[in-house]
């Protein structure tokens, strides 16, 4: 039996990954659905669509740690049922809201989005042993990659066939179904021993766990998604200059498939690599991708970036799970999601500036350098932080020591 088979054999793990995939795919497509509605349904500009999408994304970035903190205090089902209700109301209302109200409602919907991704990560931590977590988080990162490949594409396809309002309703139904499914499964977020320990010791103060080590990991989470979102934009810009923009979907698909393969291979390795070294390598292989000017060569060039993307995200999630005490695991997972959401939101503008002032190849260079800078920052910060007793040697190695990778 392979390590992945053992993980899927853990009671409740396979249903959790299945239901959370539905929820994550729908959440991933939410920005695209809102964009398509503003452009096609309200017949407004892409600038207006970007405003609504920015409101939703800002809410997502701010809501992660807040919802995580409530989960730590009140439990999973309370938060899931409340967010499911908010999402049902918002997506049902989208077709009847004027633009100004839609922007405000989108921010609120982002703030109270169903927390499928952080909940899945918390549950994985509670349901697996320390030795299994790297492979389990590799599966989770592959799940995330697949959701990014499937969600927006389905929304675009549906928007071409039916009205944008119906697409919004369908997306809302998928979010509600996914969130309700996770609530019905009610996966454990702590082991029994951790629950007893939290009950006896209470919630640790933030200064005890949100230290240099955690900031290092969050910095690398942010840098990873700045790089990945920037690469997507640079691919489009490069192919537009070459008159081959219609092939962008093929290049992005190759990037996604390489990421899935890389995540599965990394999870099966017997020894982890340092988080900062994975991100540094990801940045270095991304910088020269812009030398390819034809879609065929670009497909080849992005394989290295894709191959290291899921392993880097997996290593970040694993490090956060080990650094966060059980009593604040929800807030820590929310902070990770917020850091990654912020990276996705800022990556495209940063790389867009680089493309505008130089050439499309400059976009890949800017994205890669952002990853390298985040990796160096994470490495320097983590070297200043001794591993606390409850982290364990695996995380200490993953954060700091290349000789132990």
């Amino acid at each position: 039996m392979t390590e992945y088979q053992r993980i899927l054999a853990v009671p409740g793990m396979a249903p959790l990954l299945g239901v959370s995939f539905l929820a994550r795919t729908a959440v991933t497509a939410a920005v695209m659905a809102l964009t398509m509605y503003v452009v096609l349904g309200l017949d407004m500009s892409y600038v207006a669509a970007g405003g609504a999408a920015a409101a939703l994304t800002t809410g997502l970035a701010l809501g992660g740690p807040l919802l995580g903190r409530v989960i730590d205090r009140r439990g999973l089902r309370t938060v899931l049922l409340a967010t499911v209700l908010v999402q049902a109301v918002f997506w049902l209302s989208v077709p009847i809201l004027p633009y100004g109200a839609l922007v405000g409602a989108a921010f609120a919907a982002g703030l109270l989005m169903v927390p499928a991704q952080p909940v899945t990560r918390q549950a994985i931590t509670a349901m697996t042993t320390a030795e299994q977590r790297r492979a389990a988080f590799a599966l989770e990162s592959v799940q995330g990659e697949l959701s990014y490949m499937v969600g927006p594409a389905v929304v675009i396809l549906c928007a071409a066939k039916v009205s944008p309002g119906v697409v919004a309703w369908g997306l809302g139904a998928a979010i509600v179904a996914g969130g309700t499914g996770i609530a019905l499964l009610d996966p454990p977020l702590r082991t029994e021993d951790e629950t007893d320990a939290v009950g006896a010791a209470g919630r640790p103060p933030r200064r005890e766990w949100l230290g240099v080590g955690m900031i290092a990991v969050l910095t690398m989470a942010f840098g990873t998604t700045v790089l990945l979102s920037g690469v997507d934009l640079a691919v489009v810009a490069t192919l537009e200059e070459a008159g081959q923009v219609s092939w962008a979907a093929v290049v992005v698909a190759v990037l996604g498939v390489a990421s899935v393969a890389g995540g599965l291979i990394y999870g099966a390795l017997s020894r982890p690599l340092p988080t900062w070294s994975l991100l540094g390598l990801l940045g270095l292989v991304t910088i020269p991708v812009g030398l390819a000017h034809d879609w065929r060569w670009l497909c080849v060039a992005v394989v290295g970036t894709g191959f290291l993307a899921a392993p880097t995200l997996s290593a970040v999630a694993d490090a956060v799970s080990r650094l966060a005490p059980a009593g604040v695991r929800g807030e820590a997972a929310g902070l990770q999601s917020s850091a990654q959401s912020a990276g996705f939101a800022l990556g495209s503008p940063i790389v867009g500036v680089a493309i505008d002032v130089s050439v499309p190849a400059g976009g890949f260079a800017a994205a890669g350098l952002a990853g390298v800078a985040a990796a160096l920052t994470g490495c320097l910060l983590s070297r200043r932080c001794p591993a606390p007793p409850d982290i364990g040697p695996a995380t200490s190695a993953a954060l700091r020591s290349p000789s132990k990778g």
Side-chain angles (χ1 to χ4, degrees):
M1 182 180 290
T2 67
E3 190 63 34
Y4 292 123
Q5 289 174 321
R6 293 189 186 96
I7 291 167
L8 292 175
V10 172
M13 181 65 74
L16 172 65
L17 291 176
V19 172
S20 68
F21 176 69
L22 170 63
R24 290 180 65 175
T25 300
V27 171
T28 299
V31 170
M32 181 60 70
L34 203 56
T35 299
M36 299 297 285
Y37 175 75
V38 173
V39 172
L40 300 179
L42 297 180
D43 196 24
M44 299 181 71
S45 68
Y46 280 98
V47 173
L56 182 67
T57 304
T58 302
L60 283 168
L62 295 176
L66 296 176
L67 291 176
R69 190 177 179 88
V70 177
I71 289 173
D72 290 333
R73 290 177 176 271
R74 302 295 182 186
L76 176 60
R77 277 188 170 172
T78 299
V79 171
L80 284 176
L81 294 177
T83 54
V84 161
L85 178 61
V86 169
Q87 297 306 309
V89 172
F90 171 70
W91 291 103
L92 283 172
S93 304
V94 163
I96 62 174
L97 291 175
Y99 177 74
L102 181 64
V103 171
F107 173 78
L111 197 66
L112 296 172
M113 181 59 73
V114 173
Q117 185 181 67
V119 165
T120 302
R121 290 172 178 158
Q122 287 178 262
I124 286 174
T125 303
M127 296 165 70
T128 58
T129 64
E131 292 74 21
Q132 293 175 319
R133 281 178 195 151
R134 183 162 50 85
F137 280 120
L139 279 178
E140 185 270 337
S141 68
V142 167
Q143 180 197 64
E145 190 64 54
L146 290 173
S147 71
Y148 280 104
M149 292 171 64
V150 173
V154 170
V155 164
I156 293 172
L157 180 63
C158 291
K161 303 293 184 181
V162 298
S163 72
V166 173
V167 172
W169 287 343
L171 184 83
I175 294 175
V176 168
T180 303
I182 298 174
L184 291 174
L185 290 174
D186 196 21
L189 304 184
R190 301 169 187 153
T191 64
E192 291 184 7
D193 290 342
E194 288 173 339
T195 301
D196 293 339
V198 170
R203 178 184 176 87
R206 195 174 284 117
R207 65 177 179 275
E208 289 186 6
W209 60 272
L210 190 55
V212 176
M214 182 65 80
I215 291 172
V217 178
L218 295 176
T219 299
M220 290 186 281
F222 171 78
T224 302
T225 51
V226 166
L227 185 154
L228 295 176
S229 64
V231 164
D232 287 344
L233 181 63
V235 166
V236 174
T238 298
L239 293 179
E240 184 178 26
E241 184 181 61
Q244 300 175 339
V245 72
S246 61
W247 292 98
V250 175
V251 177
V252 172
V254 169
L255 188 70
V257 170
S259 181
V260 169
L264 292 175
I265 291 172
Y266 179 74
L269 296 178
S270 58
R271 294 167 67 87
L273 292 172
T275 307
W276 64 265
S277 70
L278 282 168
L279 178 54
L281 287 171
L282 176 61
L284 290 175
V285 301
T286 299
I287 291 172
V289 170
L291 296 175
H293 298 292
D294 180 81
W295 73 270
R296 301 170 186 83
W297 285 111
L298 199 56
C299 284
V300 176
V302 299
V303 168
T305 297
F307 195 74
L308 290 166
T312 304
L313 292 169
S314 168
V316 167
D318 191 17
V320 169
S321 73
R322 296 175 186 270
L323 284 165
V328 295
R329 199 172 282 154
E331 185 174 357
L335 284 170
Q336 180 193 347
S337 293
S338 293
Q340 292 177 335
S341 295
F344 276 119
L346 294 176
S348 293
I350 291 171
V351 170
V353 170
I355 292 171
D356 288 340
V357 302
S358 59
V359 293
F364 289 107
L369 289 172
V372 170
L376 290 174
T377 302
C379 178
L380 293 174
L381 288 175
S382 58
R383 286 179 183 276
R384 294 175 51 195
C385 177
D390 62 337
I391 294 178
T395 298
S396 179
L399 284 173
R400 296 180 293 166
S401 174
S403 64
K404 296 183 184 297

